[in-house]
Every structure is written in C-alpha cells, then in structure tokens.
Amino acid sequence: MVVLCGTDRPPGLEPVERAADVRYVPADRLAAELPGADVLFVWDFTSRAVPAAWPAADAAPGWVHIASAGVDTLAFDALRDGDTVLTNSRGVFDAAIAEYVLGLVLAFAKDLPGTLDAQRHHDWRHRETETIAGRPALVVGTGPIGRAIARLLSAAGLRVSGVGRTARRDDPDFGEVHAAGELRRVLPDTDFVVLAAPLTAQTTGMIDAAALAAMRPGARLINVGRSPLVRTDDLVAALRSGSIAGAALDVFDAEPLPADSPLWTLPGLLVSPHMSGDFAGSLTTLAQLFVANFDRWRQGRPLHNVVDKHLGYVPGGAAGPATAGHPVDEVPVAGTGQEGLPAWTRT
Amino acid sequence: MVVLCGTDRPPGLEPVERAADVRYVPADRLAAELPGADVLFVWDFTSRAVPAAWPAADAAPGWVHIASAGVDTLAFDALRDGDTVLTNSRGVFDAAIAEYVLGLVLAFAKDLPGTLDAQRHHDWRHRETETIAGRPALVVGTGPIGRAIARLLSAAGLRVSGVGRTARRDDPDFGEVHAAGELRRVLPDTDFVVLAAPLTAQTTGMIDAAALAAMRPGARLINVGRSPLVRTDDLVAALRSGSIAGAALDVFDAEPLPADSPLWTLPGLLVSPHMSGDFAGSLTTLAQLFVANFDRWRQGRPLHNVVDKHLGYVPGGAAGPATAGHPVDEVPVAGTGQEGLPAWTRT
C-alpha cells in the first residue's frame, strides 16, 4: 500500500501498518513505488502526481482513497475507465464548512473587515450594518456540504434555496431547488451566492461574466468549492467595477495563492487559504475514515463513499459517513439510494 | 416638547410636529429649553445632559422617552423618585444584536481576524480552526436582547445557558438559567461569555479579575451591553497574560474610544464602535417607536416600554414591542406579566 504524502503523514495508521506493507511516498517517488501496490491513499489531496505516475503501474491499484471531498485531481481517463474503486472523504468537512460560510455571511453583513480596519487605524468609525433575517441565499450544490450550509443558513434566519442537477420544490434541506440551467435566471433574486458544487465538466465556469452581471449590486459570492467554478478574470472585473458588493474565495486556481496575485488586494474580496473545512482534529478524522474503509476492504465489505467516477462525486444527497467529531462508523454509509446529486466540496 | 439631539434629528416626526410644539435642542441648551416641556425625547442616548438640566425645570416633564434600550444615562434620583414616566426603545435592536454576536462567535472560532491579517500580508497562512457545534455559551442577561442572542446561538448549534436574576431550568429560550450569584461558579464551564445585561448597581463590575480568572483559557468574552459591566483594567490584564483567549467590546467607558486608548491594540481584543444593534433603518424604527408612543400619550393610553425606574429596565422577559423591520404596533406591548427579568441592552 502506498500513501502519497508530503512531510506530514496521516495520524493513527498503526492498525493499517500491522496488516499491510505501508510506504509513505512523496510525489516525486510515486511512479517508482506505485507498481505492485494494491491500495493508494492520496493523503496530499492537492497533489497532481497521480495521473502522471499511473501508467508506471503494470496493474492499477484496486482501490484509491483520497483525503478530500473533491476528486477533481483524480479525473483522468485511465482511472475513470478502469476497474479501480475510488473513494473520497465525503462527510468529514460538512459541519465545519457550513459554519465557515455562515461566518462569512455575517462578516459581510456586519462589515467585520471594515471594523478590523478601523481598529487598526484607532478610528471610531460607526456605521449601520445589515441584518440577515429573511434575506435570500442561494446555495449551488446539493450534496452533503451544500445541505449542511443550507440547514445552518436557514437556522440563522436566511431564506435559502438551492441549485442542483434537477429542480424540485420539496427538498428537506432547501425547499426549492432550481436546476443548474436556471442559475442565471434565479441569481437576480438573491443576496448571498454560495458555491459548494463539485468541479466537473458541467460546473466549470458556471459563474462567468453573464452570471455575475445577473447578480444584485449588493450581493456577495462565496466559493468554498473549487476555483474553476468561477471565471476568476470575470470576478475580478465585477469587483473592480462594483457590479457586485463582495466575494470570499477559499479556493484558487493556484494554491498557495502567489504573493503577487492581484486577488490579495482586490476591493471587496476576502481571501482565505483553503481552510473552510479544516477544523482542529480534521486530520485525525480523515485518517480514521481511511482506517475504517481499510478494515472494510480487507474484509471484502462494501466501502464507504464510493465515487461515481463518471459523475465525479458520490451519488446520493444524504449526509456522509463521518461528521466532525463523530467516529465514522456511528453514521450511516453514504452512496446508496436517492438520485445523483452533487455530493461535494472541498478538501 | 423637547428633543435632545445633536446635529442629526429623528426622521419622520412630522405627525408629532403637527400636534405639538417640538424643539430640537442640543445638550448645551437643554437647561434653557426644558422648563415648560411636557415631554422629553432623548434622541442622543449617549448624552449625559439630562441630570444636569433637570433641576432647571420648575415642573419635571411628565414623560421621558429614550432612543436606546439601556437607561443608565437617566439613572438619577430626581427622575427615579419623581412622577415622570420613563420609556425606552426595547425591542428595536434584539435581532440585529443577536446576529452581531453570532458573527463575533464565528469570527473567533474561524479566526477571521487572522485571515484578514494574513491577506494584508499576502500570506497563505493555512490553519485549522474551531467548530462551534455543541460548544457551550453563557448569555448574561435574560431580557429580550439576551433571549434573541440565546435563540440564535442555539439555532447555530451552540449549547446555550443563561444568567439572570433568578435560577430556573425550563426557560423557553435558555433552558437553564443560573442566578447572578452563581456566575463565577458556572464561568469555568463555557467557551463564549456574552454580556447583554442592563447596567445597574447589581451588574456593575460583574466581570472582574476573579470572574476572568474563572474563565477557560480558550474562552472569549463578548460585551454588547454597557462597558462598566466589565472592569476594564482586569480585562486588559487577562488579555495581556493570556488567561482568556479573546474578547470583543462594542461598548466603552468613554465613547468614542480615544485614539490613544491601549484597547485598540490589545492582543485578542476586537474593538467595535457601539454598533452591534445599529442596522440600516434602525433610526427610522427608533423614531417610529417614539411616534407610536406619542400617539398613545396624547390619547391617554398606556405607553409601550415603561421602565421600572428602580430596576433600571422594563420588567418582563418577553419580546419588546418592535423588532427590526416590523412596524411597532404589529407586535405585542411589552412590560406586562412575567417576573422582572433584565430587559435590556444597548443603544
């Protein structure tokens, strides 16, 4: 078994080490170590090393697991079309990301960045700010992360609707879900647009100049998904022209975001370093999820979080197998029942 | 009728001006204009001019209304012991302050100040942050503002309890309410301490060195009430020594906070300019509340929000007469029924 990792290794893999020959491998040695491996655990989920190393293996690993919800770094033909089972870390980040998004919504509404800026200048800068009760929010992505966001924003008083693959009116978390094709039509009706969709061919560039132009002048865009959901140049233009009021990006085309990127200083843009889901303890939870799946794999039992490699996510809109602070086997197995809904985001 | 105000006047008082001789008076002319006035409307709620001007009136005004929830600037013997009816603006700020407090809780949990600081330095500073689900919060003050805070923090997943005048276990908003005398005993059990109590002789200095020492090292203090609830020197010492993790103050002993105050740069302290309740439209709502009360006064009907001048707040723990965005007469009159609970905060 090969663990693709940098200098930090997943914690608590001793049970796996007792049962298997585990090799911890950096990106530049993956092609040398992958041949003969039955299992590949992609701990460094940002790595792009897997597609390049894949042809080196005579026989592909039977199982690849990634320590993230998004599987876009593993979207290559040989893996998609082969027999390898792909699993992800769906469920680990849902609650933390939802809280992060609510924090951003409130930071925008209460102008917390303006308050911190005034504090740095010792400036008593009294303002009236916005309330959020009853205001509309649109969550793009109706997988477990989008659902957790919808539930929490609703609990805080926002009027939430969703965008998913298919329209429906009686969704338990969203109430109304609009079909993705309706996005531009419904964007003028909302104050907060939250992106929590998987990155697929269908979702790439969904927020472009036309979508941004459809948004309200006072609206804010929050992306906790993947950067290419948004056409960055179009967002830069929209913020420069003031056609939307603000945005928060937790994901970028290149990560870490280079120090000379214009995004750092764009007016109304809040930059955070791909951390919305990374709560204290999340590494342990991620590793535990793998250990539990490894146990299932050894016993020949169905794995948690099997990704539909053609859809690019785990089908089924319900909660994932693990939530922050909960042992993974206390919660139901995902990936069964329900229609194929984006099941996603980050990390 | 005299309106004590600075350069900004309450909007929409035309109905009152048609029915009464209304004089808009700055603090330095209050003593000259107060004699003969039947009604005093304290629009500038921060002004300390009323106690000094009061003796100039041969007969005290029959009714004083203040455009704030707190009435501490009107706590002087001649008003308290006389026949003047005192009313406040209870209910206007509840929802906005609750949102503001939740925003602060999430800003602390997700280290939003650290993210904004990193952004200023173009620094990709990835961290793991905290979740709030299931964590304990203690709201001091069980009036309408404290209740709105408790409901919203609970909705966002925190485990909320309260501190009020009397202990109880079945409070509809708090569940458990501890008696004020138990404060120091329960402080070690919580992560977020929110002050939303009226400033009275009983509450002054309730957060002192001993209370701060009882708090968890990771805990944060949020004061949206009045500054003297906290012994500022003790808080400074606690933050300097790191005995608590952070604090947010929206209220100060002197407002505006002087530019040379050490509070602006204290580690872990978030300073905001007494704005937690000041949503866009709040001035109109405040003025409407007065206009509605003026109508009642002319007709000899019972006034909204009659303050118990000895308690220092409107008795009765239920919601106030006006909430953000709601015309004041759509909601029930406060100040009837229920036991005397702190009915308070800000503005």
Side-chain angles (χ1 to χ4, degrees):
Chain A
M1 173 181 142
V2 165
V3 180
L4 172 60
C5 55
T7 49
D8 69 315
R9 296 180 173 189
L13 251 54
E14 293 79 6
V16 177
E17 289 174 348
R18 282 192 289 273
D21 170 15
V22 180
R23 300 186 188 179
Y24 297 92
V25 173
D28 60 4
R29 280 187 30 233
L30 186 61
E33 298 279 1
L34 197 58
D38 297 316
V39 178
L40 171 62
F41 178 16
V42 182
W43 178 247
D44 177 7
F45 75 94
T46 66
S47 171
R48 310 268 165 181
V50 178
W54 198 260
D58 313 316
W63 171 35
V64 174
H65 179 85
I66 187 162
S68 64
V71 298
D72 45 289
T73 57
L74 301 178
F76 59 98
D77 292 346
L79 173 56
R80 181 166 43 231
D81 300 333
D83 294 330
T84 299
V85 174
L86 174 61
T87 59
N88 73 359
S89 298
R90 166 181 153 127
V92 173
F93 306 104
D94 304 357
I97 292 177
E99 293 178 357
Y100 195 88
V101 168
L102 178 57
L104 290 172
V105 166
L106 284 164
F108 280 128
K110 306 303 178 184
D111 189 24
L112 193 58
T115 297
L116 291 166
D117 182 69
Q119 181 173 355
R120 281 196 305 120
H121 293 92
H122 300 206
D123 184 6
W124 184 267
R125 201 183 297 167
H126 181 272
R127 294 97 68 209
E128 291 178 349
T129 61
E130 303 168 23
T131 51
I132 63 167
R135 292 179 66 195
L138 186 70
V139 179
V140 180
T142 56
I145 292 175
R147 288 178 180 280
I149 293 168
R151 286 192 299 270
L152 191 58
L153 296 188
S154 297
L158 292 139
R159 284 191 297 112
V160 179
S161 54
V163 171
R165 293 215 303 167
T166 53
R168 51 199 176 276
R169 289 191 166 272
D170 55 353
D171 186 277
D173 296 317
F174 290 93
E176 182 152 26
V177 174
H178 307 281
E182 296 291 297
L183 175 63
R184 208 172 300 166
R185 186 182 63 76
V186 298
L187 278 173
D189 302 329
T190 196
D191 287 336
F192 297 96
V193 179
V194 182
L195 305 183
L199 182 62
T200 66
Q202 290 72 42
T203 62
T204 298
M206 65 195 304
I207 301 294
D208 57 8
L212 290 159
M215 287 173 64
R216 294 178 174 177
R220 280 84 168 207
L221 177 70
I222 296 173
N223 189 1
V224 290
R226 285 288 186 269
S227 184
L229 299 172
V230 180
R231 299 249 179 257
T232 304
D233 291 348
D234 294 347
L235 177 62
V236 168
L239 288 169
R240 287 226 166 103
S241 72
S243 80
I244 67 170
L249 299 180
D250 192 49
V251 286
F252 301 89
D253 293 338
E255 298 181 6
L257 185 66
D260 62 356
S261 168
L263 296 178
W264 292 109
T265 53
L266 206 63
L269 181 63
L270 204 155
V271 168
S272 61
H274 202 148
M275 59 185 270
S276 68
D278 296 341
F279 60 94
S282 53
L283 295 183
T284 300
T285 307
L286 282 170
Q288 283 174 344
L289 175 62
F290 173 76
V291 171
N293 242 358
F294 180 82
D295 213 44
R296 289 172 162 265
W297 182 75
R298 277 184 67 206
Q299 296 170 16
R301 295 164 58 204
L303 297 181
H304 285 310
N305 288 1
V306 175
V307 173
D308 181 317
K309 294 183 287 182
H310 292 274
L311 287 173
Y313 48 83
V314 180
T323 54
H326 291 84
V328 289
D329 273 321
E330 282 184 22
V331 279
V333 181
T336 55
Q338 305 209 13
E339 58 179 314
L341 309 173
W344 194 69
T345 315
R346 165 239 136 153
T347 280
Chain B
M1 175 182 140
V2 164
V3 180
L4 172 61
C5 55
T7 49
D8 70 315
R9 295 179 174 190
L13 250 55
E14 294 77 8
V16 178
E17 290 174 349
R18 282 192 289 273
D21 171 15
V22 180
R23 300 189 188 178
Y24 297 92
V25 173
D28 59 5
R29 281 187 29 233
L30 185 63
E33 298 279 0
L34 196 58
D38 296 317
V39 178
L40 171 63
F41 178 16
V42 182
W43 178 248
D44 178 6
F45 75 93
T46 65
S47 171
R48 308 269 166 182
V50 180
W54 198 259
D58 312 317
W63 172 34
V64 174
H65 179 86
I66 187 163
S68 63
V71 297
D72 44 290
T73 57
L74 301 178
F76 58 98
D77 292 347
L79 174 56
R80 180 166 46 231
D81 299 335
D83 293 331
T84 299
V85 174
L86 175 61
T87 58
N88 73 359
S89 299
R90 165 180 153 129
V92 173
F93 306 105
D94 305 356
I97 292 177
E99 293 178 357
Y100 195 88
V101 168
L102 178 57
L104 290 172
V105 165
L106 284 164
F108 280 129
K110 306 303 178 184
D111 190 23
L112 193 59
T115 297
L116 291 166
D117 183 69
Q119 181 172 354
R120 282 197 304 120
H121 293 91
H122 301 205
D123 184 5
W124 185 267
R125 201 182 295 166
H126 181 273
R127 297 95 68 208
E128 292 178 348
T129 61
E130 303 169 22
T131 52
I132 63 168
R135 293 179 65 195
L138 186 71
V139 179
V140 181
T142 56
I145 293 175
R147 288 177 180 281
I149 294 168
R151 286 192 299 268
L152 191 58
L153 295 188
S154 296
L158 291 140
R159 285 191 297 112
V160 178
S161 54
V163 172
R165 292 214 307 166
T166 54
R168 51 199 176 277
R169 289 191 166 271
D170 55 354
D171 185 277
D173 296 318
F174 290 92
E176 182 153 26
V177 173
H178 307 281
E182 297 291 297
L183 175 63
R184 208 172 300 166
R185 187 182 61 76
V186 298
L187 278 173
D189 301 330
T190 196
D191 287 336
F192 298 96
V193 179
V194 182
L195 305 183
L199 182 62
T200 66
Q202 289 72 42
T203 62
T204 298
M206 65 195 304
I207 301 295
D208 57 8
L212 290 159
M215 286 173 65
R216 293 179 175 177
R220 281 83 169 210
L221 177 71
I222 296 173
N223 189 3
V224 289
R226 285 289 184 269
S227 185
L229 298 172
V230 179
R231 299 247 180 259
T232 304
D233 290 349
D234 294 347
L235 176 62
V236 169
L239 287 169
R240 288 226 165 102
S241 72
S243 79
I244 67 170
L249 299 180
D250 192 49
V251 286
F252 301 89
D253 294 337
E255 297 182 6
L257 185 66
D260 61 355
S261 167
L263 295 178
W264 292 108
T265 53
L266 206 63
L269 181 64
L270 204 154
V271 168
S272 60
H274 202 146
M275 60 185 270
S276 68
D278 296 342
F279 59 95
S282 53
L283 295 183
T284 299
T285 307
L286 282 170
Q288 282 174 344
L289 175 62
F290 173 77
V291 171
N293 242 358
F294 179 81
D295 214 43
R296 290 172 161 265
W297 182 75
R298 275 184 68 206
Q299 297 170 16
R301 295 163 59 204
L303 297 181
H304 285 310
N305 288 2
V306 175
V307 172
D308 180 318
K309 295 185 285 183
H310 292 275
L311 287 173
Y313 48 83
V314 179
T323 54
H326 290 84
V328 290
D329 272 322
E330 282 184 24
V331 280
V333 181
T336 54
Q338 303 210 14
E339 58 178 314
L341 308 173
W344 194 68
T345 316
R346 156 210 171 164
T347 281

